[in-house]
Amino acid sequence: MKKTALIALSVTACFAGSAAMAQTEWPERTINVIIGASPGGDTDFNARTMARYFEEITGVGMVITNMPGGGATIATSAVRQAEPDGYTMLFGHTGHVIVAEVSGLADYGLDAFEICCVPAIDQGAVLVASASSGLTSVEDVKAAEAGSITFGTEFGGYSHLQGLIFQEGAGIEMNIVDTGSAAEKIASLLGGRIDVAGIAYGAVQDYVDNGQMVVLGQPNDERNPLLGDIPTFAEQGVDFVMNNPYIIAFPEGTDQAIVDKMGQVMQQITEIPGYAEDLEQGFKQPVAFLPQQEALERLNTIRDTYMPYRDALQASR
């Protein structure tokens, strides 16, 4: 009896394994990766870097479709409405999915997608001040008269939330204005129209090196060594930690086997030395990866942290 049971169990296991393999024949054709950002930025860079290594591993290409605008809701809506066949994928970050929900730009959030993984975490962001502002440190910011510092952002977006959380953590009041994209923030800093902004360090390093901007700190829980000798805000007595995980997600209803396969391939990508070198050279970003369950836990914790700022974000719309 025991021998018969073992044989039956083995047959069942083989059958189940074959079925699982059949479900994971994906990918067999080009995948459309939709991002809610313009070409050239950090999200676009991460998506294109991932796509290049994805093709090396699977032999299947990815086409990157940029759909900026609407706080990334144009992109996220396109993914939500796509066929759940595994050939349309969202590559975004917390600003595109979580902040859009918190700010009221979208009436949906994480639950509207099949979250695959966190393929990377942006740890290259810094707050910088223009040289013309006269601000050289966090202490200068704290000592400034209420409302005298102008913080440039995109109303209702991730950088707006950066400004709100920073001023609360520092116990200050800034004049938060709608400046626009990262490129527009840089132009406004250089032109003296704003004093402080949150931007990827790789985008402003040259201006810092030539004295046109001053880095105030990095909002990481621990120093990102790729940023050099830049202190965290926590080290400077400011409760301001804001990492920005990227998100790979599929339309709701996508086969779990496809979601799992994408997560496995992404993890393989993060183990390639050349990938780490690309991230460092591009945006001073160390390699990071969270599989599905850990990703969901991290993202839901972030959502809970951001939700108290809902009224402030929505008031700016």
Side-chain angles (χ1 to χ4, degrees), residues 111-125:
D111 291 344
F113 303 92
E114 303 294 347
I115 303 298
C116 170
C117 62
V118 165
I121 299 176
D122 176 13
Q123 299 177 58

Side-chain angles (χ1 to χ4, degrees), residues 239-304:
D239 184 13
F240 177 45
V241 175
M242 247 183 116
N243 296 139
N244 190 16
Y246 292 97
I247 303 169
I248 287 177
F250 291 91
E252 188 175 14
T254 301
D255 191 331
Q256 183 62 41
I258 292 174
V259 177
D260 290 343
K261 179 70 175 292
M262 180 63 219
Q264 292 164 8
V265 173
M266 189 65 234
Q267 184 165 11
Q268 284 182 262
I269 291 172
T270 63
E271 295 166 357
I272 299 174
Y275 175 74
E277 293 170 7
D278 289 343
L279 295 191
E280 178 177 351
Q281 293 174 8
F283 281 89
K284 305 295 183 183
Q285 183 180 304
V287 174
F289 174 79
L290 296 178
Q292 186 179 49
Q293 194 55 45
E294 289 180 45
L296 283 167
E297 290 172 4
R298 176 75 171 268
L299 295 172
N300 278 306
T301 297
I302 289 173
R303 182 183 181 277
D304 291 344

Side-chain angles (χ1 to χ4, degrees), residues 200-225:
Y201 181 62
V204 297
Q205 185 174 4
D206 289 345
Y207 302 111
V208 172
D209 291 343
N210 65 27
Q212 291 175 282
M213 296 183 192
V214 176
V215 179
L216 299 175
Q218 54 174 298
N220 297 313
D221 52 356
E222 296 180 355
R223 289 193 187 193
N224 173 358

Side-chain angles (χ1 to χ4, degrees), residues 167-181:
Q167 71 174 4
E168 182 175 304
I172 61 173
E173 181 182 341
M174 301 187 294
N175 176 30
I176 300 179
V177 300
D178 194 358
T179 311
S181 67

